[in-house]
């Protein structure tokens, strides 16, 4: 393996050792505990964070593509079954962004030869139900809400493009272009409150990543280039993608890194590649050593704290650690691009 692959492997071992545990004492189950060291509720997966688990599953697929293993494939199979079990036998919930992320992970699981057709059908159907003509199209953030945003429409567009529904994917992406992309900076705003018409202009690395990914799936390469340069100028100081804290924000930078890495081999410019590799270097060199391997910082430009962690340290969060692992897997593909 290359040095980049070695680092990704070390991140995988650390996340698996610290976070992967069985659920409710049931044999053969496995999910990621939301925190480490875990609270009492995290030990029993009471707060289990459906969409964090979707990204953990997606990153397990990254690892399987990097270094195929029968043991990991069995783990992925168990993980998928446990996720559905913990979701009380269902594939979906009321958040369209959540289920789009699980759908993307399951599409890639299916490419490994595991049967996840039931999950993909349920997710595809629910995502299509989210589309309305309000505010010119797009899907809602969640069922019964008044908010349409990039975090839902972006991954849904990627999902539909990958299932072969290019026209529907293009409609979602065009809605984002018309409603959420700043025409001057090419940064992607968070969302639109349909009832009031208020644009929520928060700039999250997450939103840049999902719009980039949607444009990439549709081969809108001019838009891809614009977004990458906007990212480099505005949300990656000194070439390192900025962090956005713990909790849900812990995943934002890793999501952007995933789609930058997918774009990099297709572009003449080296900007996307440099962003991923510089971020990966900062992430790796800033990690703290623990008995379970590297502990990654919530902000890759800043070193991670040493043990013991403060009760409110964002580095405790599964989201933060999966995001760093996702980044390191993305960097490893730039030596040997191989994944979708």
């Amino acid at each position: 393996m290359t040095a980049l692959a070695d680092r990704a492997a070390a991140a995988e071992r650390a996340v698996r050792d610290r976070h992967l545990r069985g659920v409710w004492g049931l044999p053969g189950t496995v999910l990621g505990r939301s925190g480490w060291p875990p609270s009492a509720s995290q030990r029993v997966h009471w707060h289990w964070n459906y969409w964090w688990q979707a990204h953990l599953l997606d990153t397990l697929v990254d690892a399987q593509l990097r270094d195929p293993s029968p043991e990991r494939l069995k783990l992925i199979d168990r993980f998928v079954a446990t996720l559905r079990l913990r979701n009380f036998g269902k594939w979906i919930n009321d958040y369209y962004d959540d289920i789009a992320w699980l759908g993307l992970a399951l599409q890639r699981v299916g490419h490994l030869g595991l049967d996840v057709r039931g999950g993909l059908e349920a997710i595809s159907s629910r995502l299509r139900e989210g589309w309305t003509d309000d505010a010119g199209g797009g899907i809602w953030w969640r069922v019964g809400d008044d908010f349409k945003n990039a975090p839902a429409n972006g991954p849904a567009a990627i999902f539909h493009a990958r299932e072969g529904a290019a026209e529907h994917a293009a409609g979602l992406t065009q809605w984002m272009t018309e409603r959420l992309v700043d025409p001057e900076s090419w940064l992607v705003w968070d969302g639109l409150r349909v009832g009031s018409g208020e644009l929520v202009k928060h700039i999250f690395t997450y939103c840049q990543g999902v719009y980039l990914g949607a444009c990439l799936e549709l081969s809108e390469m001019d838009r891809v280039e614009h977004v990458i340069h906007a990212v480099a100028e505005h949300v990656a100081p000194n070439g390192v993608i900025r962090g956005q804290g713990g909790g849900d924000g812990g995943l934002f930078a890793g999501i952007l890194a995933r789609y930058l890495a997918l774009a990099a081999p297709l572009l003449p410019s080296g900007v996307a590649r440099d962003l991923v590799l510089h971020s990966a270097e900062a992430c790796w060199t800033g990690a703290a050593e623990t008995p379970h391997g590297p502990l990654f910082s919530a902000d890759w430009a800043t070193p991670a704290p040493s043990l013991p962690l403060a009760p409110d340290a964002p580095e405790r969060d599964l989201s933060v650690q999966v995001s760093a692992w996702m980044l390191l897997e993305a960097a490893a593909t730039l030596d040997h691009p191989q994944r979708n």
Side-chain angles (χ1 to χ4, degrees):
M1 289 197 295
T2 67
L4 292 175
D6 286 341
R7 291 177 176 185
E12 177 189 7
R13 289 192 297 271
V15 171
R16 288 177 61 168
D17 286 352
R18 284 197 293 261
H19 290 275
L20 263 62
R21 297 292 186 275
V23 174
W24 302 332
L26 297 173
T29 59
V30 62
L31 281 180
R33 282 179 175 169
S34 294
W36 178 86
S39 66
S41 66
Q42 289 166 345
R43 288 181 184 277
V44 296
H45 298 276
W46 181 257
H47 297 290
W48 69 293
N49 301 96
Y50 172 111
W51 84 285
W52 297 11
Q53 305 293 336
H55 283 286
L56 175 51
L57 175 60
D58 216 4
T59 312
L60 282 167
V61 175
D62 292 338
Q64 183 66 4
L65 294 176
R66 167 179 48 79
D67 180 26
S69 153
E71 177 272 333
R72 193 191 296 102
L73 187 61
K74 290 179 182 177
L75 172 65
I76 290 169
D77 195 26
R78 289 166 52 209
F79 192 100
V80 170
T82 308
L83 196 154
R84 187 182 183 192
L85 171 71
R86 178 58 188 83
N87 204 43
F88 303 110
K90 299 186 297 181
W91 293 106
I92 60 176
N93 66 18
D94 286 343
Y95 289 81
Y96 292 107
D97 53 344
D98 285 12
I99 64 174
W101 285 121
L102 181 58
L104 288 169
L106 291 179
Q107 284 176 327
R108 300 179 72 221
V109 168
H111 294 324
L112 299 177
L114 300 177
D115 185 1
V116 291
R117 287 173 294 180
L120 291 173
E121 290 168 3
I123 288 169
S124 180
S125 177
R126 173 56 68 91
L127 288 176
R128 288 176 181 276
E129 291 170 7
W131 174 280
T132 73
D133 292 332
D134 300 271
I139 65 172
W140 302 105
W141 172 44
R142 62 182 174 181
V143 174
D145 206 76
D146 185 49
F147 193 46
K148 291 187 173 183
N149 62 2
N153 283 271
I158 299 167
F159 175 85
H160 289 305
R162 291 181 179 179
E163 72 172 354
E167 184 175 350
H168 192 57
L172 293 164
T173 306
Q174 187 60 31
W175 181 83
M176 287 189 288
T177 301
E178 293 174 357
R179 294 287 181 165
L180 301 183
V181 177
D182 181 347
E184 295 183 4
S185 69
W186 274 88
L187 289 171
V188 183
W189 296 318
D190 185 33
L192 172 69
R193 301 194 189 284
V194 173
S196 67
E198 176 195 0
L199 271 172
V200 179
K201 294 187 176 182
H202 299 315
I203 302 299
F204 296 124
T205 48
Y206 178 168
C207 298
Q208 318 315 307
V210 296
Y211 180 70
L212 169 62
C215 293
L216 191 62
E217 291 295 328
L218 296 168
S219 299
E220 298 281 358
M221 301 311 292
D222 285 346
R223 293 179 183 175
V224 167
E225 289 269 23
H226 281 303
V227 175
I228 289 171
H229 286 284
V231 164
E233 182 176 354
H234 297 286
V235 300
N238 299 313
V240 178
I241 302 167
R242 76 181 185 205
Q244 299 200 271
D248 286 348
L251 278 164
F252 290 4
I255 290 168
L256 174 55
R258 175 182 293 282
Y259 293 103
L260 285 169
L262 289 175
L266 305 177
L267 299 171
S269 163
V271 176
R273 177 185 175 87
D274 288 347
L275 286 168
V276 174
L277 294 181
H278 290 166
S279 297
E281 183 66 23
C283 173
W284 180 259
T285 58
E289 284 302 319
T290 80
H292 300 275
L295 179 82
F296 300 103
S297 175
D299 184 346
W300 298 328
T302 304
S306 56
L307 299 183
L309 294 175
D312 61 349
E315 286 76 16
R316 298 171 67 106
D317 290 346
L318 174 65
S319 57
V320 168
Q321 300 307 312
V322 168
S323 186
W325 174 20
M326 193 186 308
L327 166 69
L328 295 171
E329 293 286 0
T333 67
L334 296 181
D335 276 349
H336 302 287
Q338 60 178 341
R339 69 165 197 215
N340 235 335

